[in-house]
Amino acid sequence: MEVARQARAHVARLDLSTAQVAVLDGQAHAARALWNLLHEYVTFRQGRLATVKECDTAIRAARREIDWMGLLPAQAAQAVLKTYRQAWANFFDPAHPAGRPGFKSRSRSRPAVDVPQARDLNIARLNRRWGAVDLPKVGRVRFWWTKDLPGVTRDGPAGRITGARLVKDAFGWQIVFRAERQVPAPAAHPGERVGVDRGITVALALSDGTMRGEVSA
């Protein structure tokens, strides 16, 4: 039987001390500032965008020369660069409805920090209500266990955790686990293939002449 990989997100609320909240707040501000520094470095040039190698070199230099940049773990800094470059790729892709990357405002940006590598997390279930996870530069943190995570517990779903993203909302910090599961691949449709054209007067026009959602005069 053929299998396919299915990506899912599992969200859980973190139980942080005041000191740990301060650390994550500092990391999130550093991540936003790094994005803005990258945007300035990439766009304020003569005739071309900076390459990935040039950006990586600039980040390493900034981490050596700017004290507060060290608040952000190295892997999280690389995740900012990856996300920023992907934003440009989406902008230049004619099939992708993405806007031009810009500066991030402190008041309008949601604080967030990436943990790209799952091996840094060391996830474990403590009891029925709580799990624990390692966060870089923060330490061991409890989180509210609301759903079994793939590959973590013996009786949990098959699959694995590939990384996580820490996001702050009005209620505090939460962790979004990136999970990957193997599911049966969907079977090919036995019928004939048909093309679909989307429009305004007719919502869907099929290549076999069928119309769907036609607006009456």
Side-chain angles (χ1 to χ4, degrees):
M1 180 181 63
E2 295 186 3
V3 296
R5 294 180 179 180
Q6 183 183 67
R8 288 293 181 88
H10 298 274
V11 183
R13 185 67 55 185
L14 293 172
D15 180 35
L16 300 169
S17 66
T18 302
Q20 289 171 330
V21 169
V23 172
L24 278 183
D25 286 349
Q27 290 185 12
H29 291 317
R32 180 188 55 82
L34 176 57
W35 173 285
N36 290 338
L37 290 174
L38 276 171
H39 188 59
E40 182 176 4
Y41 178 74
V42 166
T43 56
F44 286 73
R45 301 171 68 85
Q46 296 181 352
R48 68 177 182 87
L49 297 177
T51 65
V52 174
K53 184 177 180 180
E54 289 171 336
C55 290
D56 182 67
T57 301
I59 288 176
R60 294 177 187 274
R63 289 177 61 81
R64 291 193 301 268
E65 298 169 5
I66 304 175
D67 291 340
W68 55 261
M69 193 69 73
L71 297 174
L72 190 64
Q75 294 297 329
Q78 289 299 314
V80 173
L81 173 58
K82 182 179 179 180
T83 304
Y84 179 75
R85 297 296 299 191
Q86 186 60 50
W88 276 109
N90 294 342
F91 173 69
F92 286 122
D93 184 356
H96 200 293
R100 181 185 178 91
F103 291 104
K104 288 190 174 183
S105 166
R106 180 170 184 170
S107 61
R108 290 182 291 180
S109 299
R110 172 179 282 193
V113 181
D114 266 308
V115 185
Q117 298 183 350
R119 68 169 180 263
D120 295 331
L121 296 172
N122 298 316
I123 307 167
R125 185 168 188 177
L126 302 179
N127 52 46
R128 185 173 62 88
R129 293 186 176 182
W130 294 101
V133 61
D134 287 340
L135 302 181
K137 296 183 179 289
V138 177
R140 195 70 169 166
V141 174
R142 296 196 312 170
F143 65 90
W144 191 261
W145 190 280
T146 57
K147 183 183 296 185
D148 285 340
L149 300 175
V152 175
T153 56
R154 182 178 301 178
D155 55 348
R160 65 191 182 102
I161 300 296
T162 60
R165 184 171 176 81
L166 311 172
V167 181
K168 189 176 186 180
D169 59 17
F171 300 99
W173 282 93
Q174 60 187 1
I175 184 168
V176 183
F177 293 105
R178 290 190 286 267
E180 183 181 271
R181 299 180 61 184
Q182 290 187 344
V183 298
H189 193 280
E192 296 181 359
R193 294 186 178 182
V194 61
V196 179
D197 185 22
R198 298 173 60 185
I200 298 176
T201 305
V202 177
L204 296 177
L206 309 185
S207 59
D208 62 1
T210 304
M211 303 295 179
R212 293 286 186 269
E214 187 173 1
V215 178
S216 58

